[in-house]
Short mmCIF file of all heavy atoms in Angstrom, two decimals:
data_model
loop_
_atom_site.label_atom_id
_atom_site.label_comp_id
_atom_site.label_asym_id
_atom_site.label_seq_id
_atom_site.Cartn_x
_atom_site.Cartn_y
_atom_site.Cartn_z
N TRP A 252 39.58 99.28 62.95
CA TRP A 252 38.91 98.90 61.70
C TRP A 252 37.44 98.91 61.80
O TRP A 252 36.88 98.64 62.90
CB TRP A 252 39.39 97.44 61.32
CG TRP A 252 40.76 97.36 60.83
CD1 TRP A 252 41.89 97.20 61.57
CD2 TRP A 252 41.23 97.34 59.48
NE1 TRP A 252 43.04 97.19 60.84
CE2 TRP A 252 42.62 97.23 59.50
CE3 TRP A 252 40.58 97.40 58.24
CZ2 TRP A 252 43.40 97.18 58.33
CZ3 TRP A 252 41.37 97.40 57.03
CH2 TRP A 252 42.78 97.29 57.16
N GLN A 253 36.73 99.14 60.75
CA GLN A 253 35.20 99.23 60.81
C GLN A 253 34.64 97.79 60.58
O GLN A 253 34.81 97.29 59.43
CB GLN A 253 34.63 100.23 59.82
CG GLN A 253 34.89 101.64 60.24
CD GLN A 253 34.12 102.61 59.36
OE1 GLN A 253 33.35 102.26 58.44
NE2 GLN A 253 34.37 103.88 59.55
N TYR A 254 34.07 97.24 61.62
CA TYR A 254 33.35 95.99 61.37
C TYR A 254 32.43 95.73 62.54
O TYR A 254 32.67 96.33 63.65
CB TYR A 254 34.30 94.81 61.23
CG TYR A 254 35.17 94.47 62.54
CD1 TYR A 254 34.65 93.65 63.56
CD2 TYR A 254 36.37 94.99 62.68
CE1 TYR A 254 35.38 93.42 64.69
CE2 TYR A 254 37.15 94.81 63.86
CZ TYR A 254 36.56 93.97 64.83
OH TYR A 254 37.35 93.73 65.97
N PRO A 255 31.36 95.01 62.37
CA PRO A 255 30.38 94.75 63.47
C PRO A 255 31.04 94.11 64.68
O PRO A 255 31.78 93.10 64.54
CB PRO A 255 29.30 93.89 62.87
CG PRO A 255 29.48 94.07 61.41
CD PRO A 255 30.87 94.29 61.14
N LEU A 256 30.79 94.60 65.87
CA LEU A 256 31.36 94.04 67.03
C LEU A 256 30.96 92.56 67.31
O LEU A 256 31.76 91.76 67.71
CB LEU A 256 30.96 94.83 68.30
CG LEU A 256 31.48 94.41 69.65
CD1 LEU A 256 32.95 94.38 69.71
CD2 LEU A 256 30.88 95.30 70.74
N ALA A 257 29.76 92.25 66.86
CA ALA A 257 29.24 90.87 67.04
C ALA A 257 30.11 89.93 66.35
O ALA A 257 30.32 88.77 66.82
CB ALA A 257 27.85 90.78 66.52
N TYR A 258 30.65 90.24 65.16
CA TYR A 258 31.49 89.34 64.37
C TYR A 258 32.80 89.05 65.17
O TYR A 258 33.26 87.95 65.25
CB TYR A 258 31.89 89.95 63.07
CG TYR A 258 30.74 90.10 62.03
CD1 TYR A 258 30.87 90.62 60.79
CD2 TYR A 258 29.50 89.58 62.37
CE1 TYR A 258 29.86 90.73 59.87
CE2 TYR A 258 28.43 89.66 61.48
CZ TYR A 258 28.65 90.26 60.21
OH TYR A 258 27.60 90.34 59.29
N GLY A 259 33.33 90.16 65.76
CA GLY A 259 34.63 89.89 66.50
C GLY A 259 34.35 89.05 67.76
O GLY A 259 35.20 88.17 68.05
N LEU A 260 33.23 89.31 68.42
CA LEU A 260 32.91 88.44 69.65
C LEU A 260 32.67 87.04 69.31
O LEU A 260 33.21 86.11 70.00
CB LEU A 260 31.66 89.08 70.32
CG LEU A 260 31.83 90.40 71.04
CD1 LEU A 260 30.52 90.94 71.49
CD2 LEU A 260 32.73 90.33 72.19
N VAL A 261 31.93 86.75 68.18
CA VAL A 261 31.70 85.36 67.83
C VAL A 261 33.02 84.68 67.46
O VAL A 261 33.31 83.54 67.91
CB VAL A 261 30.71 85.30 66.66
CG1 VAL A 261 30.67 83.89 66.03
CG2 VAL A 261 29.38 85.78 67.04
N LEU A 262 33.90 85.39 66.73
CA LEU A 262 35.17 84.77 66.42
C LEU A 262 36.07 84.50 67.61
O LEU A 262 36.61 83.42 67.75
CB LEU A 262 35.98 85.72 65.40
CG LEU A 262 37.41 85.40 65.06
CD1 LEU A 262 37.41 84.03 64.21
CD2 LEU A 262 38.09 86.45 64.27
N ALA A 263 36.14 85.43 68.48
CA ALA A 263 36.88 85.23 69.75
C ALA A 263 36.37 84.16 70.55
O ALA A 263 37.14 83.25 71.04
CB ALA A 263 36.95 86.54 70.59
N ILE A 264 35.07 83.97 70.75
CA ILE A 264 34.48 82.95 71.54
C ILE A 264 34.70 81.56 70.89
O ILE A 264 35.10 80.61 71.58
CB ILE A 264 32.98 83.20 71.73
CG1 ILE A 264 32.81 84.44 72.68
CG2 ILE A 264 32.29 81.96 72.40
CD1 ILE A 264 31.35 84.83 72.76
N CYS A 265 34.45 81.48 69.59
CA CYS A 265 34.69 80.18 68.88
C CYS A 265 36.10 79.71 68.91
O CYS A 265 36.37 78.55 69.16
CB CYS A 265 34.16 80.32 67.42
SG CYS A 265 32.33 80.51 67.32
N TRP A 266 37.02 80.66 68.63
CA TRP A 266 38.37 80.39 68.62
C TRP A 266 38.86 79.89 69.98
O TRP A 266 39.49 78.77 70.05
CB TRP A 266 39.20 81.62 68.23
CG TRP A 266 40.63 81.59 68.06
CD1 TRP A 266 41.54 80.66 68.66
CD2 TRP A 266 41.47 82.43 67.27
NE1 TRP A 266 42.80 80.90 68.26
CE2 TRP A 266 42.77 81.93 67.35
CE3 TRP A 266 41.19 83.50 66.42
CZ2 TRP A 266 43.85 82.61 66.80
CZ3 TRP A 266 42.26 84.12 65.82
CH2 TRP A 266 43.51 83.65 65.87
N CYS A 267 38.53 80.61 71.06
CA CYS A 267 38.94 80.21 72.40
C CYS A 267 38.33 78.86 72.83
O CYS A 267 39.03 77.95 73.40
CB CYS A 267 38.55 81.30 73.33
SG CYS A 267 39.01 80.93 75.07
N SER A 268 37.05 78.65 72.52
CA SER A 268 36.40 77.41 72.93
C SER A 268 37.02 76.27 72.22
O SER A 268 37.34 75.19 72.84
CB SER A 268 34.90 77.54 72.65
OG SER A 268 34.38 78.63 73.32
N LEU A 269 37.28 76.44 70.88
CA LEU A 269 37.76 75.33 70.11
C LEU A 269 39.21 74.85 70.62
O LEU A 269 39.45 73.66 70.74
CB LEU A 269 37.88 75.67 68.64
CG LEU A 269 38.36 74.64 67.64
CD1 LEU A 269 37.45 73.50 67.67
CD2 LEU A 269 38.45 75.22 66.28
N VAL A 270 40.02 75.74 70.87
CA VAL A 270 41.37 75.47 71.36
C VAL A 270 41.27 74.83 72.80
O VAL A 270 41.99 73.81 73.03
CB VAL A 270 42.28 76.74 71.45
CG1 VAL A 270 43.60 76.39 72.07
CG2 VAL A 270 42.47 77.31 70.08
N CYS A 271 40.46 75.35 73.72
CA CYS A 271 40.43 74.84 75.08
C CYS A 271 39.86 73.42 75.11
O CYS A 271 40.46 72.53 75.67
CB CYS A 271 39.55 75.75 75.92
SG CYS A 271 40.36 77.38 76.29
N PHE A 272 38.74 73.24 74.37
CA PHE A 272 38.12 71.88 74.35
C PHE A 272 39.09 70.87 73.63
O PHE A 272 39.06 69.67 73.99
CB PHE A 272 36.78 71.90 73.75
CG PHE A 272 35.66 72.43 74.62
CD1 PHE A 272 35.09 73.65 74.36
CD2 PHE A 272 35.30 71.71 75.72
CE1 PHE A 272 34.10 74.19 75.19
CE2 PHE A 272 34.35 72.19 76.58
CZ PHE A 272 33.71 73.44 76.36
N SER A 273 39.78 71.31 72.68
CA SER A 273 40.70 70.43 71.93
C SER A 273 41.78 69.83 72.75
O SER A 273 42.21 68.70 72.58
CB SER A 273 41.27 71.12 70.75
OG SER A 273 42.29 71.98 71.08
N ARG A 274 42.22 70.58 73.84
CA ARG A 274 43.31 70.03 74.68
C ARG A 274 42.80 68.90 75.64
O ARG A 274 43.55 68.04 75.94
CB ARG A 274 43.92 71.20 75.50
CG ARG A 274 44.52 72.27 74.67
CD ARG A 274 45.35 71.83 73.57
NE ARG A 274 46.63 71.27 74.02
CZ ARG A 274 47.43 70.52 73.32
NH1 ARG A 274 46.97 70.03 72.11
NH2 ARG A 274 48.54 70.03 73.81
N ILE A 275 41.55 69.03 75.97
CA ILE A 275 40.95 67.95 76.80
C ILE A 275 40.73 66.72 75.87
O ILE A 275 41.00 65.62 76.21
CB ILE A 275 39.65 68.45 77.42
CG1 ILE A 275 39.91 69.65 78.33
CG2 ILE A 275 39.00 67.26 78.31
CD1 ILE A 275 38.63 70.26 78.89
N TYR A 276 40.16 67.04 74.69
CA TYR A 276 39.89 65.94 73.72
C TYR A 276 41.19 65.15 73.39
O TYR A 276 41.09 63.91 73.27
CB TYR A 276 39.29 66.55 72.48
CG TYR A 276 38.96 65.49 71.33
CD1 TYR A 276 37.76 64.80 71.40
CD2 TYR A 276 39.91 65.25 70.36
CE1 TYR A 276 37.50 63.88 70.39
CE2 TYR A 276 39.74 64.31 69.43
CZ TYR A 276 38.41 63.70 69.37
OH TYR A 276 38.24 62.74 68.37
N MET A 277 42.27 65.88 73.25
CA MET A 277 43.55 65.19 72.83
C MET A 277 44.17 64.42 74.02
O MET A 277 45.17 63.78 73.85
CB MET A 277 44.57 66.28 72.32
CG MET A 277 44.12 66.85 70.95
SD MET A 277 44.32 65.57 69.62
CE MET A 277 43.64 66.45 68.30
N GLY A 278 43.67 64.62 75.20
CA GLY A 278 44.16 63.90 76.34
C GLY A 278 45.36 64.53 76.92
O GLY A 278 46.06 63.86 77.79
N MET A 279 45.70 65.77 76.58
CA MET A 279 46.81 66.45 77.01
C MET A 279 46.71 67.32 78.31
O MET A 279 47.73 67.68 78.91
CB MET A 279 47.42 67.28 75.79
CG MET A 279 47.77 66.56 74.58
SD MET A 279 48.87 65.15 74.96
CE MET A 279 50.42 66.05 75.37
N HIS A 280 45.48 67.59 78.66
CA HIS A 280 45.30 68.51 79.76
C HIS A 280 44.06 68.11 80.59
O HIS A 280 43.05 67.62 79.96
CB HIS A 280 45.07 69.98 79.33
CG HIS A 280 46.44 70.64 79.01
ND1 HIS A 280 47.36 71.03 79.87
CD2 HIS A 280 46.93 70.93 77.77
CE1 HIS A 280 48.42 71.52 79.22
NE2 HIS A 280 48.15 71.49 77.91
N SER A 281 44.06 68.35 81.84
CA SER A 281 42.84 68.16 82.67
C SER A 281 41.94 69.36 82.48
O SER A 281 42.39 70.40 81.98
CB SER A 281 43.23 67.97 84.17
OG SER A 281 43.75 69.10 84.66
N ILE A 282 40.73 69.21 82.92
CA ILE A 282 39.77 70.38 82.96
C ILE A 282 40.40 71.54 83.68
O ILE A 282 40.31 72.76 83.28
CB ILE A 282 38.46 69.95 83.44
CG1 ILE A 282 37.81 68.90 82.58
CG2 ILE A 282 37.48 71.20 83.49
CD1 ILE A 282 36.53 68.30 83.16
N LEU A 283 41.06 71.29 84.87
CA LEU A 283 41.57 72.40 85.67
C LEU A 283 42.73 73.08 84.95
O LEU A 283 42.80 74.28 85.05
CB LEU A 283 42.08 71.79 87.01
CG LEU A 283 42.63 72.78 88.03
CD1 LEU A 283 41.56 73.70 88.47
CD2 LEU A 283 43.14 72.01 89.22
N ASP A 284 43.57 72.32 84.21
CA ASP A 284 44.60 72.96 83.52
C ASP A 284 44.12 73.95 82.50
O ASP A 284 44.59 75.13 82.38
CB ASP A 284 45.38 71.90 82.67
CG ASP A 284 46.11 70.88 83.58
OD1 ASP A 284 46.40 71.20 84.74
OD2 ASP A 284 46.40 69.75 83.16
N VAL A 285 43.01 73.59 81.80
CA VAL A 285 42.51 74.48 80.70
C VAL A 285 41.81 75.70 81.43
O VAL A 285 42.06 76.83 80.90
CB VAL A 285 41.50 73.69 79.89
CG1 VAL A 285 40.72 74.71 78.97
CG2 VAL A 285 42.14 72.62 79.14
N ILE A 286 41.06 75.53 82.42
CA ILE A 286 40.44 76.64 83.13
C ILE A 286 41.43 77.63 83.64
O ILE A 286 41.35 78.84 83.60
CB ILE A 286 39.52 76.15 84.29
CG1 ILE A 286 38.31 75.34 83.64
CG2 ILE A 286 39.04 77.27 85.12
CD1 ILE A 286 37.41 74.71 84.74
N ALA A 287 42.50 77.03 84.25
CA ALA A 287 43.55 77.87 84.81
C ALA A 287 44.27 78.67 83.71
O ALA A 287 44.62 79.84 83.87
CB ALA A 287 44.58 76.98 85.57
N GLY A 288 44.54 77.98 82.58
CA GLY A 288 45.16 78.65 81.45
C GLY A 288 44.36 79.81 80.96
O GLY A 288 44.86 80.95 80.63
N PHE A 289 43.03 79.62 80.82
CA PHE A 289 42.10 80.66 80.38
C PHE A 289 42.16 81.86 81.31
O PHE A 289 42.30 83.01 80.79
CB PHE A 289 40.67 80.08 80.35
CG PHE A 289 39.61 81.04 79.98
CD1 PHE A 289 39.37 81.56 78.77
CD2 PHE A 289 38.80 81.50 81.04
CE1 PHE A 289 38.44 82.49 78.45
CE2 PHE A 289 37.77 82.51 80.83
CZ PHE A 289 37.64 82.97 79.52
N PHE A 290 42.01 81.68 82.59
CA PHE A 290 41.92 82.79 83.49
C PHE A 290 43.38 83.44 83.74
O PHE A 290 43.50 84.64 83.92
CB PHE A 290 41.39 82.40 84.83
CG PHE A 290 39.85 82.27 84.87
CD1 PHE A 290 39.25 81.05 84.88
CD2 PHE A 290 39.08 83.35 84.74
CE1 PHE A 290 37.92 80.84 84.84
CE2 PHE A 290 37.69 83.19 84.69
CZ PHE A 290 37.10 81.99 84.72
N TYR A 291 44.43 82.56 83.62
CA TYR A 291 45.74 83.14 83.74
C TYR A 291 46.03 84.08 82.53
O TYR A 291 46.62 85.19 82.69
CB TYR A 291 46.74 81.96 83.69
CG TYR A 291 48.16 82.38 84.10
CD1 TYR A 291 48.50 83.53 84.77
CD2 TYR A 291 49.23 81.50 83.75
CE1 TYR A 291 49.82 83.81 85.10
CE2 TYR A 291 50.51 81.76 84.08
CZ TYR A 291 50.76 82.96 84.80
OH TYR A 291 52.06 83.30 85.14
N ALA A 292 45.63 83.73 81.34
CA ALA A 292 45.75 84.58 80.21
C ALA A 292 44.98 85.91 80.30
O ALA A 292 45.51 86.96 80.04
CB ALA A 292 45.33 83.90 78.86
N LEU A 293 43.80 85.81 80.84
CA LEU A 293 42.99 87.09 81.05
C LEU A 293 43.65 87.93 82.06
O LEU A 293 43.66 89.16 81.94
CB LEU A 293 41.60 86.70 81.48
CG LEU A 293 40.67 86.01 80.55
CD1 LEU A 293 39.29 85.75 81.08
CD2 LEU A 293 40.49 86.86 79.24
N LEU A 294 44.23 87.29 83.11
CA LEU A 294 44.97 88.18 84.12
C LEU A 294 46.26 88.80 83.47
O LEU A 294 46.40 90.01 83.75
CB LEU A 294 45.41 87.18 85.24
CG LEU A 294 46.29 87.85 86.34
CD1 LEU A 294 45.54 89.00 87.13
CD2 LEU A 294 46.78 86.83 87.37
N ILE A 295 46.98 88.11 82.67
CA ILE A 295 48.13 88.70 82.01
C ILE A 295 47.69 89.88 81.15
O ILE A 295 48.32 90.91 81.06
CB ILE A 295 48.87 87.62 81.29
CG1 ILE A 295 49.49 86.67 82.24
CG2 ILE A 295 49.97 88.27 80.42
CD1 ILE A 295 50.17 85.41 81.63
N LEU A 296 46.56 89.65 80.36
CA LEU A 296 46.16 90.69 79.55
C LEU A 296 45.72 91.94 80.28
O LEU A 296 45.93 93.05 79.91
CB LEU A 296 44.95 90.25 78.64
CG LEU A 296 45.26 89.07 77.60
CD1 LEU A 296 43.97 88.75 76.88
CD2 LEU A 296 46.32 89.56 76.65
N ALA A 297 45.04 91.69 81.41
CA ALA A 297 44.58 92.88 82.28
C ALA A 297 45.74 93.68 82.70
O ALA A 297 45.61 94.94 82.85
CB ALA A 297 43.70 92.37 83.38
N VAL A 298 46.88 93.06 83.01
CA VAL A 298 47.99 93.72 83.53
C VAL A 298 48.86 94.37 82.50
O VAL A 298 49.32 95.51 82.55
CB VAL A 298 48.86 92.75 84.40
CG1 VAL A 298 50.19 93.42 84.78
CG2 VAL A 298 48.14 92.26 85.62
N PHE A 299 49.06 93.65 81.38
CA PHE A 299 49.98 94.12 80.36
C PHE A 299 49.45 94.85 79.16
O PHE A 299 50.16 95.53 78.48
CB PHE A 299 50.85 92.91 79.86
CG PHE A 299 51.79 92.44 80.87
CD1 PHE A 299 51.60 91.21 81.59
CD2 PHE A 299 52.95 93.08 81.14
CE1 PHE A 299 52.51 90.72 82.48
CE2 PHE A 299 53.85 92.64 82.10
CZ PHE A 299 53.64 91.48 82.78
N LEU A 300 48.20 94.63 78.83
CA LEU A 300 47.59 95.31 77.62
C LEU A 300 47.77 96.84 77.75
O LEU A 300 48.10 97.50 76.66
CB LEU A 300 46.15 95.02 77.42
CG LEU A 300 45.82 93.71 76.75
CD1 LEU A 300 44.30 93.56 76.45
CD2 LEU A 300 46.53 93.66 75.45
N PRO A 301 47.62 97.51 78.86
CA PRO A 301 47.83 98.97 78.85
C PRO A 301 49.29 99.35 78.47
O PRO A 301 49.53 100.59 78.13
CB PRO A 301 47.48 99.40 80.33
CG PRO A 301 46.56 98.28 80.80
CD PRO A 301 46.99 97.04 80.17
N LEU A 302 50.19 98.39 78.60
CA LEU A 302 51.63 98.71 78.34
C LEU A 302 52.03 98.38 76.90
O LEU A 302 53.23 98.76 76.58
CB LEU A 302 52.51 97.96 79.31
CG LEU A 302 52.17 98.17 80.82
CD1 LEU A 302 53.11 97.20 81.61
CD2 LEU A 302 52.42 99.58 81.22
N VAL A 303 51.17 97.71 76.07
CA VAL A 303 51.57 97.34 74.83
C VAL A 303 51.98 98.50 73.87
O VAL A 303 53.01 98.44 73.22
CB VAL A 303 50.50 96.51 74.15
CG1 VAL A 303 50.71 96.21 72.64
CG2 VAL A 303 50.24 95.20 74.95
N ASP A 304 51.23 99.55 73.93
CA ASP A 304 51.52 100.77 73.02
C ASP A 304 52.88 101.31 73.51
O ASP A 304 53.69 101.75 72.55
CB ASP A 304 50.45 101.77 73.13
CG ASP A 304 49.18 101.41 72.43
OD1 ASP A 304 49.23 100.59 71.45
OD2 ASP A 304 48.13 101.92 72.85
N LEU A 305 53.15 101.37 74.77
CA LEU A 305 54.39 101.92 75.22
C LEU A 305 55.51 101.08 74.78
O LEU A 305 56.61 101.60 74.34
CB LEU A 305 54.36 102.02 76.80
CG LEU A 305 55.62 102.58 77.47
CD1 LEU A 305 55.85 104.05 77.01
CD2 LEU A 305 55.53 102.51 79.00
N VAL A 306 55.41 99.71 74.91
CA VAL A 306 56.41 98.80 74.48
C VAL A 306 56.71 98.92 73.01
O VAL A 306 57.86 99.00 72.58
CB VAL A 306 56.12 97.33 74.85
CG1 VAL A 306 57.13 96.37 74.22
CG2 VAL A 306 56.07 97.23 76.38
N ASP A 307 55.72 98.92 72.20
CA ASP A 307 55.82 99.08 70.73
C ASP A 307 56.47 100.40 70.38
O ASP A 307 57.38 100.44 69.48
CB ASP A 307 54.51 98.88 70.08
CG ASP A 307 54.59 98.88 68.58
OD1 ASP A 307 55.25 97.89 68.02
OD2 ASP A 307 54.02 99.76 67.83
N SER A 308 56.16 101.44 71.00
CA SER A 308 56.79 102.79 70.71
C SER A 308 58.27 102.74 71.12
O SER A 308 59.11 103.26 70.31
CB SER A 308 56.08 103.86 71.49
OG SER A 308 56.68 105.13 71.34
N PHE A 309 58.53 102.07 72.18
CA PHE A 309 60.02 101.97 72.55
C PHE A 309 60.75 101.12 71.53
O PHE A 309 61.92 101.54 71.14
CB PHE A 309 60.11 101.35 73.92
CG PHE A 309 61.50 100.96 74.35
CD1 PHE A 309 62.36 101.89 74.91
CD2 PHE A 309 61.95 99.61 74.24
CE1 PHE A 309 63.62 101.54 75.20
CE2 PHE A 309 63.19 99.21 74.51
CZ PHE A 309 64.10 100.27 75.14
N ASN A 310 60.18 100.02 71.13
CA ASN A 310 60.80 99.17 70.13
C ASN A 310 61.19 99.86 68.86
O ASN A 310 62.24 99.66 68.20
CB ASN A 310 59.99 97.93 69.80
CG ASN A 310 59.82 96.97 70.99
OD1 ASN A 310 60.60 97.07 71.93
ND2 ASN A 310 58.86 96.12 70.92
N LEU A 311 60.18 100.76 68.45
CA LEU A 311 60.38 101.47 67.23
C LEU A 311 61.35 102.70 67.27
O LEU A 311 62.17 102.94 66.38
CB LEU A 311 59.04 101.94 66.61
CG LEU A 311 58.02 100.84 66.28
CD1 LEU A 311 56.74 101.52 65.85
CD2 LEU A 311 58.53 99.95 65.29
#
Side-chain angles (χ1 to χ4, degrees):
W252 289 85
Q253 286 189 7
Y254 64 88
L256 178 60
Y258 291 178
L260 289 173
V261 170
L262 175 63
I264 293 172
C265 291
W266 186 333
C267 179
S268 301
L269 182 59
V270 175
C271 290
F272 282 112
S273 73
R274 301 313 288 161
I275 304 175
Y276 177 88
M277 290 291 172
M279 299 306 292
H280 286 286
S281 68
I282 299 173
L283 184 62
D284 297 337
V285 171
I286 293 175
F289 172 78
F290 284 107
Y291 192 19
L293 292 181
L294 175 63
I295 294 172
L296 292 181
V298 173
F299 286 106
L300 274 185
L302 304 175
V303 171
D304 287 336
L305 180 63
V306 172
D307 185 62
S308 177
F309 171 82
N310 292 344
L311 297 181

